């Protein structure tokens, strides 16, 4: 392919990114409107959690506990309430010490609890979506998550949009390579947020604000040291790190090196933002992270042209704009978490003991194995694609198919996060103070899991069909006919795979929510081995289509892992029957 073709392709991809930028903005905006108008139908009702020592309603222990709650000794306030700025913001837990028994008023509600009439703990709800109270409450959490996932890719897309305006294909290649390297290195070590969300969700559902603060503070402390190591390695060995995507002496290195140097300082603020997002969604507040993400992306979009063109900084200006946006986001999360008493300076400045860190580090280590397996798969996919030809057609067609997948993938990945948030909250059994009825627990969590899985199937099917309908439009995004032709079958496969992806992504989110981190990691490792075997054989027979067939193998094995977890795990019907 000639240099002119390369430049045309780069500019074409820039226009393609520009259209995606507009599409992402429209998606996020529409979801914000829906979240504001359709979901906030009524304020959350307060539920009450009795200490587990109270036992079942009607038992002698329950009557004793019930009598104690009507005594009037002087209470000592254990947890202060926070300022709630939006209907989505959770009121902070108030805990009052009454002699030897604990009474906790907690707004962490059961997702399966009907607003008017609490369901029995053993009631089995419909598997399929029916827009009942359960669906509405899940949508309340899901819509901001989906919008947030739609906004997040804009940081890279906005940078690429303005770098394309430079009219220099090498600048585009250098910025894209450095951005990919930073993203891969960051996501390999960013296992803390998933574990943090699960720990926070359980603590919040139990009404234990101290545990919430411990979980978030410990994640931030560990994240600080991980970030120092990550940034130091990038600053010390930029050439070696960039060699994973660029050949030695590649002309694009002159643009990649300064971009990566500046982005290296974003390791800590990026990790703080992710932990903050996880902490908020662990308390069932997904609207606040969305607002922070939207504001930081707008800030990034404003700074890009000023630094790159007005101040003539070029590619380093794009990196500085992104770094400023990341720092803004991290600062916002820290300020709000301090204001809402989700963290305390005393805990942030005190290194936790091993017993406190153990749950976080064990879960993080297990998920670290999964992240390595995932990135190994994607790296092998990239190498297999690059080796198909020397013209760049296969790589460009692969990128086009990936972007086809992202149309629906954003929604399904967001639902995976919803599963990670709802399931641990639902596993905690609670007692309604007014009726004495219990809600939450394993059966309630199973109801949520069944409904989420059905939503995954329905949305996966619908989004796959939508992608097929949009395929002719997406094909026009590349100016090169050979790229469009090479991307047809992979794009079709990407659309069909969404049916499977809906089940896989949500099922794996359930595994995280249940705390089965090691089982999830082993399932991913097995899937990675199968994918690598496929990538070693199928592309030789079917070219780029073989690469995407290997994706199908990868997700089929992941789906098998989800099936085993839901039929033989702690929420399987056999386990529930045994009590």
């Amino acid at each position: 392919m000639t240099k002119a073709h390369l430049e045309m392709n780069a500019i074409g991809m820039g226009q393609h990114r520009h259209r995606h930028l507009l599409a992402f903005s429209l998606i996020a905006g529409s979801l914000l409107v829906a979240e504001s108008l359709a979901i906030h139908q009524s304020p959350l009702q307060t539920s009450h959690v009795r200490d587990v020592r109270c036992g079942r309603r009607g038992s002698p222990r329950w009557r004793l506990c019930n009598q104690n709650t009507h005594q009037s000794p002087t209470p000592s306030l254990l947890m202060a309430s926070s300022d709630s700025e939006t209907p989505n913001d959770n009121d902070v837990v108030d805990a009052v010490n009454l002699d030897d028994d604990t009474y906790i008023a907690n707004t962490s509600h059961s997702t399966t609890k009907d607003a008017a009439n609490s369901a029995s703990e053993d009631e089995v709800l419909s598997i399929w979506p029916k827009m009942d109270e359960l669906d509405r409450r899940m949508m309340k959490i899901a819509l901001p998550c989906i919008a947030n996932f739609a906004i997040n890719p804009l940081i890279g897309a906005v940078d690429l949009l303005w770098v394309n305006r430079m009219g220099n294909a090498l600048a585009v290649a250098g910025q894209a390579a450095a951005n990919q390297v930073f993203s891969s290195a960051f996501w390999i070590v960013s296992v803390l947020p998933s574990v943090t969300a699960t720990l926070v969700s359980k603590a919040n559902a139990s009404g234990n604000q101290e545990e919430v603060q411990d979980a978030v503070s410990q994640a931030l402390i560990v994240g600080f040291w991980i970030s120092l190591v990550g940034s130091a390695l990038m600053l010390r060995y930029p050439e070696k790190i960039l060699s994973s995507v660029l050949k030695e002496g590649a002309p694009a290195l002159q643009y990649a090196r300064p971009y990566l140097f500046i982005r290296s300082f974003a390791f800590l603020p990026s990790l703080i933002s992710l932990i903050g997002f996880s902490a908020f969604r662990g308390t069932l507040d997904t609207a606040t992270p969305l607002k922070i993400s939207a504001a930081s992306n707008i800030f990034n979009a404003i700074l890009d042209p000023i630094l790159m063109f007005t101040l003539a900084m070029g590619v380093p200006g794009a990196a500085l704009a992104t770094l400023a946006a990341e720092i803004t986001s991290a600062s916002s999360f820290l300020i709000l978490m301090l204001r809402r008493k989700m963290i305390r300076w005393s805990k942030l400045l005190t290194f936790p003991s091993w017993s406190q860190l153990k749950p976080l580090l064990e879960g993080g280590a297990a998920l670290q194995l999964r992240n390595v397996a995932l990135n190994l798969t994607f790296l092998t996919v990239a190498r297999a694609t690059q080796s198909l030809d020397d013209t760049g057609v296969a790589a460009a067609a692969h990128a086009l198919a990936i972007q086809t997948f992202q149309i629906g993938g954003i929604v399904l990945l967001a639902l995976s996060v919803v599963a990670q948030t709802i399931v641990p909250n639902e596993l905690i059994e609670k007692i309604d103070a007014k009726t004495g009825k219990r809600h939450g627990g394993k059966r309630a969590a199973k109801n949520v899991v069944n409904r989420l899985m059905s939503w995954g199937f329905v949305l996966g099917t619908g989004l796959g069909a939508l992608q097929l309908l949009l395929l002719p439009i997406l094909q026009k995004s590349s100016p090169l006919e050979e790229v469009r032709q090479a991307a047809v079958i992979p794009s079709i496969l990407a659309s069909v795979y969404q049916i499977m992806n809906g089940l896989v992504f949500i099922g794996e989110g359930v595994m995280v929510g249940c705390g089965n981190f090691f089982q999830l990691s082993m399932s991913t490792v097995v899937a990675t081995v199968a994918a690598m075997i496929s990538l070693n054989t199928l592309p030789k027979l079917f070219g780029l289509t073989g690469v995407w067939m290997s994706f199908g193998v990868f997700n089929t094995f992941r789906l098998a892992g989800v099936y085993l977890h839901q039929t033989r795990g702690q929420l399987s019907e056999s386990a529930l029957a045994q009590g």
Side-chain angles (χ1 to χ4, degrees):
M1 184 178 292
T2 65
K3 181 178 179 181
H5 277 149
L6 284 173
E7 293 182 353
M8 182 183 299
N9 189 27
I11 293 171
M13 291 304 291
Q15 294 170 344
H16 174 62
R17 290 279 189 175
H18 185 53
R19 281 189 287 269
H20 271 74
L21 179 64
L22 177 60
F24 279 134
S25 301
L26 291 175
I27 291 172
S30 62
L31 288 170
L32 279 170
V33 172
E35 194 266 341
S36 299
L37 299 181
I39 303 305
H40 296 301
Q41 297 177 359
S42 62
L44 291 178
Q45 295 193 358
T46 301
S47 63
H48 300 280
V49 182
R50 298 288 175 85
D51 190 277
V52 292
R53 290 175 294 176
C54 293
R56 292 179 176 269
R57 177 178 173 84
S59 66
R61 288 167 62 198
W62 183 90
R63 285 193 294 271
L64 177 61
C65 182
N66 192 50
Q67 292 170 1
N68 286 340
T69 60
H70 290 87
Q71 297 174 3
S72 56
T74 303
S76 60
L77 187 64
L78 300 182
M79 303 177 199
S81 63
S82 66
D83 298 328
S84 178
E85 298 177 355
T86 71
N88 262 343
D89 295 339
N90 288 319
D91 299 330
V92 169
V93 183
D94 293 328
V96 181
N97 186 13
L98 301 176
D99 291 337
D100 294 328
D101 295 291
T102 302
Y103 176 82
I104 301 175
N106 180 21
T107 58
S108 175
H109 59 284
S110 170
T111 314
T112 57
K113 176 176 176 277
D114 188 272
N117 186 21
S118 299
S120 167
E121 64 167 337
D122 296 321
E123 179 183 349
V124 180
L125 299 182
S126 170
I127 292 178
W128 296 102
K130 52 190 296 186
M131 297 311 298
D132 56 5
E133 182 70 15
L134 173 57
D135 286 331
R136 288 193 293 272
R137 295 198 175 191
M138 288 195 300
M139 286 174 63
K140 181 178 182 178
I141 299 172
L143 286 179
C145 278
I146 295 171
N148 200 39
F149 269 74
I151 289 174
N152 279 338
L154 293 182
I155 288 183
V158 167
D159 283 352
L160 187 60
L161 169 68
W162 289 109
V163 172
N164 267 291
R165 291 289 187 93
M166 295 173 63
N168 187 332
L170 289 177
V172 175
Q175 184 271 339
N179 188 62
Q180 180 61 53
V181 165
F182 175 84
S183 298
S184 297
F186 178 75
W187 284 105
I188 285 177
V189 301
S190 60
V191 296
L192 295 176
S194 295
V195 183
T196 302
T198 301
L199 296 176
V200 170
S201 185
K202 290 180 179 179
N204 182 68
S206 300
N208 193 327
Q209 187 73 354
E210 283 290 324
E211 286 189 12
V212 171
Q213 293 176 351
D214 287 342
V216 181
S217 299
Q218 290 158 18
L220 289 172
I221 291 171
V222 174
F224 172 78
W225 292 105
I226 290 177
S227 299
L228 285 184
V229 174
S231 294
L233 289 175
M234 285 190 177
L235 293 170
R236 181 68 179 84
Y237 304 105
E239 301 285 348
K240 291 183 178 180
I241 294 174
L242 286 169
S243 66
S244 62
V245 291
L246 290 175
K247 295 180 181 179
E248 185 178 354
L253 278 170
Q254 61 179 308
Y255 297 98
R257 276 192 296 261
Y259 187 90
L260 182 63
F261 174 81
I262 295 172
R263 284 299 303 275
S264 298
F265 294 99
F267 223 99
L268 178 59
S270 296
L271 199 51
I272 290 174
S273 294
L274 270 183
I275 293 172
F277 174 47
S278 298
F280 275 97
R281 65 181 170 87
T283 61
L284 303 184
D285 178 2
T286 53
T288 299
L290 173 59
K291 296 170 185 176
I292 295 175
S293 181
S296 62
N297 275 278
I298 292 173
F299 185 50
N300 180 50
I302 293 172
L303 280 182
D304 263 332
I306 296 175
L307 296 178
M308 291 178 64
F309 300 108
T310 305
L311 300 180
M313 297 180 66
V315 172
L320 276 176
T322 302
L323 175 60
E326 294 286 6
I327 292 174
T328 301
S329 175
S331 301
S332 300
F333 274 114
L334 285 175
I335 291 171
L336 286 177
M337 287 191 292
L338 285 167
R339 182 179 298 172
R340 300 182 189 187
K341 297 181 173 59
M342 298 170 69
I343 56 176
R344 292 208 310 257
W345 281 116
S346 59
K347 294 191 175 186
L348 288 175
L349 299 176
T350 303
F351 199 83
S353 64
W354 167 250
S355 60
Q356 291 175 311
L357 284 177
K358 187 177 179 181
L360 178 68
L361 295 181
E362 285 184 343
L367 288 181
Q368 174 72 16
L369 177 62
R370 176 177 184 255
N371 274 8
V372 171
L374 285 172
N375 279 277
L376 181 60
T377 301
F378 299 143
L379 179 61
T380 307
V381 166
R383 289 187 177 276
T385 303
Q386 293 287 346
S387 64
L388 290 175
D389 61 51
D390 296 326
T391 64
V393 170
H398 177 69
L400 187 59
I402 285 288
Q403 289 171 347
T404 301
F405 158 79
Q406 287 178 344
I407 294 175
I410 287 173
V411 176
L412 301 177
L413 284 170
L415 288 180
S416 175
V417 172
V418 172
Q420 295 175 30
T421 302
I422 292 180
V423 172
N425 178 78
E426 204 62 36
L427 281 168
I428 303 298
E429 187 175 288
K430 313 166 188 71
I431 299 177
D432 188 280
K434 295 181 179 179
T435 65
K437 291 183 178 181
R438 289 179 296 155
H439 55 92
K442 289 186 176 181
R443 169 54 65 184
K446 180 64 174 178
N447 289 334
V448 170
V449 170
N450 289 340
R451 187 67 62 85
L452 282 168
M453 293 297 290
S454 67
W455 268 113
F457 177 77
V458 170
L459 288 175
T461 302
L463 290 167
L466 176 63
Q467 288 177 196
L468 288 174
L469 290 175
L470 295 176
L471 195 55
I473 299 174
L474 295 172
Q475 284 285 296
K476 296 178 180 179
S477 61
S478 175
L480 302 176
E481 177 62 27
E482 57 268 33
V483 172
R484 292 197 296 266
Q485 290 298 323
V488 171
I489 296 180
S491 296
I492 292 174
L493 290 176
S495 302
V496 174
Y497 288 162
Q498 295 293 25
I499 300 174
M500 188 190 308
N501 293 339
L503 299 173
V504 169
F505 294 168
I506 293 175
E508 291 185 344
V510 170
M511 295 169 79
V512 172
C514 290
N516 302 129
F517 306 121
F518 184 73
Q519 183 179 354
L520 172 59
S521 294
M522 293 309 300
S523 171
T524 308
V525 168
V526 172
T528 294
V529 172
M532 294 182 71
I533 293 173
S534 300
L535 287 165
N536 195 43
T537 55
L538 294 179
K540 297 177 182 177
L541 299 174
F542 304 103
L544 184 59
T545 300
V547 172
W548 279 85
M549 291 169 66
S550 299
F551 264 128
V553 173
F554 181 56
N555 279 352
T556 297
F557 275 82
R558 292 169 69 187
L559 182 60
V562 169
Y563 173 79
L564 289 175
H565 178 260
Q566 296 198 9
T567 56
R568 300 185 182 182
Q570 67 188 88
L571 293 181
S572 64
E573 290 297 338
S574 58
L576 293 176
Q578 294 174 2

